[in-house]
Amino acid sequence: MRLMIGLLGVLIAFVGLIIAAEPRLILDFLSRHKKKLWLHGVAVVFRLLVGYLLIEFADSTAIPLVVAAVGWFAIIAAIFLLILGRANFKKLISWAVELNDAQGRAAGIIATLFGAFMVYIAL
């Protein structure tokens, strides 16, 4: 379980670094695939997986309340994306793609920090 959380953290941090360095790479990818069902599915399933792992693993960390809260936040975000529906999900992605580079870089830094947090709690 720890290994899976650590690997997800590395993945999230890596993508965050890419976004921070060159936001258009990921934003253009999202723009090209925003109409595809798999993107919506991955967004929901990934958040559910991260949330489940964090909640399940929370008690064995030094900060269980924080880890569990982040896990529940991820699950709530997944449910929100599911309830949002396909049409509104496409609008959300369209909005995200329109962010300027500074906003994209800030989002990349936040993602990198979250990934680093996941690696930290997995250690």
Side-chain angles (χ1 to χ4, degrees):
M1 185 88 64
R2 273 190 154 151
L3 178 63
M4 188 167 220
I5 290 173
L7 290 174
L8 283 173
V10 168
L11 175 68
I12 292 168
F14 179 71
V15 171
L17 285 172
I18 292 172
I19 294 170
E22 191 56 51
R24 285 292 128 204
L25 284 175
I26 300 297
L27 295 177
D28 289 346
F29 173 83
L30 290 174
S31 181
R32 285 191 310 273
H33 298 284
K34 67 184 172 189
K35 294 180 181 177
K36 307 243 169 89
L37 178 60
W38 68 264
L39 184 63
H40 192 187
V42 166
V44 171
V45 170
F46 188 78
R47 282 165 182 77
L48 285 173
L49 176 65
V50 167
Y52 168 76
L53 288 173
L54 291 176
I55 291 167
E56 189 67 30
F57 184 65
D59 288 339
S60 63
T61 67
I63 46 174
L65 218 50
V66 172
V67 174
V70 172
W72 281 111
F73 183 77
I75 288 176
I76 290 167
I79 293 168
F80 172 76
L81 288 178
L82 194 59
I83 292 171
L84 192 63
R86 296 272 304 124
N88 288 325
F89 179 78
K90 291 176 198 174
K91 289 178 187 175
L92 178 65
I93 295 298
S94 294
W95 169 81
V97 167
E98 296 302 318
L99 294 175
N100 65 40
D101 282 355
Q103 293 166 318
R105 289 182 205 290
I109 291 168
I110 291 168
T112 302
L113 292 174
F114 179 68
F117 168 74
M118 287 185 64
V119 170
Y120 169 75
I121 65 166
L123 296 177

